[in-house]
Structures are given as C-alpha cells and as structure tokens.
Amino acid sequence: MERELIGRNLSLQDDNGEDVQTVKEVEVLLKPENLDIVRARRMAKTKQLTGYEISVKIVMSKLESRLRYRLLDDFKAGRTMFLPRITGSLDDRITGNTERVLITGIHIHEEIDILVAKIDDNNGIDITLSGTATDFDFVDKFPDYMA
C-alpha cells in the first residue's frame, strides 16, 4: 500500500505549552554551510561542514495575535524577540503515529506585520514569524513504514 503523509494534520504549541490555534504553515529547515576543499592525494573536490543555520517560518491567521503581541512587546522593551521553544506535531491519522519536533532558541529577526488592511481582498490576513533557531530534537518519531 502506497500512501503519503499530508501536512494538514499539524499542531503547534508555544513555549507555555498552549496550542497556537490558527497555524497555516510551519517550516523549519536545516541549512548546512560548507567550505569547498581539495583532498591533496587524489585532488578530489569535496565539501567540509563549517556551520549551519536552522531557519524557522510560522504562518498563522491574524486571529492568533497573542504570540505576535508578546513578541512586539519584547521589541518595544528593547529585548530580543525570542521564543524559548515551540513543539510541532505531524499526525498520521491512518496509523495513529505522530512525529513531534521540539525547536529551541528561536530568535525572530525578520519583519512582523503591525497593521495590514486590504480593502479589495476577501482573503484572510496572515501573520508570518521568521527567524532562526539554535537546536531541534525529535521527541517522537514515525516508525519505519513498509512499502
């Protein structure tokens, strides 16, 4: 049986363990930074890992402004816009399996909407929080699926 996991079965909790109710998209990417090197004996080109960045992007409805207000209050007080942790879960509703990922040390340093109003647009207004994290850990993992 061939199946695919669908990202609609997603939930996100903030650092207080409260559900962020209106999450539309979460994207956490590991971006390795490499240095090109040449091996002396064989003159073969390869890459050496020199660092990495974990980018975080959370898109939610404007209806979920509690998290945004908290970050903007930190900004106005001269503090870093920071979330100690978020936990994202992806469920496989057919088997009941869950993958949960703990993302820690999230610094929000991209732009945040303060006021957006679109008179001729019938779509909802979204908030996008973007930045970088310092670490991630899989709290629960999907089992090995057999094809």
Side-chain angles (χ1 to χ4, degrees):
M1 177 174 83
E2 191 170 317
R3 305 193 283 103
E4 290 185 20
L5 290 172
I6 300 172
R8 287 189 296 253
N9 305 327
L10 167 80
S11 65
L12 184 73
Q13 293 80 36
D14 65 11
D15 52 313
N16 295 323
E18 297 176 22
D19 283 333
V20 180
Q21 296 292 335
T22 60
V23 172
K24 294 183 175 183
E25 177 183 342
V26 174
E27 187 175 276
V28 181
L29 298 174
L30 176 65
K31 298 177 182 178
E33 296 172 1
N34 297 300
L35 177 66
D36 290 333
I37 59 172
V38 176
R39 298 282 181 207
R41 287 190 145 170
R42 296 188 180 162
M43 296 301 289
K45 291 185 179 180
T46 187
K47 295 188 181 288
Q48 180 176 349
L49 182 66
T50 59
Y52 64 91
E53 177 181 274
I54 301 170
S55 67
V56 177
K57 177 182 170 187
I58 303 168
V59 179
M60 64 191 95
S61 170
K62 179 77 169 194
L63 296 172
E64 181 71 54
S65 289
R66 171 180 48 93
L67 191 58
R68 180 176 137 262
Y69 291 146
R70 193 175 105 205
L71 292 169
L72 290 172
D73 286 345
D74 286 346
F75 175 78
K76 289 191 74 168
R79 295 187 300 263
T80 302
M81 292 186 289
F82 181 75
L83 296 170
R85 61 181 225 131
I86 58 171
T87 305
S89 301
L90 185 61
D91 296 325
D92 181 352
R93 292 195 176 163
I94 293 175
T95 63
N97 295 321
T98 299
E99 178 183 73
R100 289 188 332 138
V101 183
L102 174 67
I103 310 297
T104 55
I106 302 126
H107 292 83
I108 304 298
H109 46 74
E110 300 291 326
E111 60 188 28
I112 296 180
D113 297 337
I114 293 175
L115 176 65
V116 175
K118 300 176 182 176
I119 304 298
D120 293 330
D121 195 354
N122 289 331
N123 296 326
I125 297 174
D126 294 337
I127 300 167
T128 301
L129 303 176
S130 297
T132 56
T134 56
D135 202 5
F136 67 95
D137 191 26
F138 287 93
V139 179
D140 294 313
K141 296 179 180 180
F142 286 129
D144 291 335
Y145 285 103
M146 301 299 288

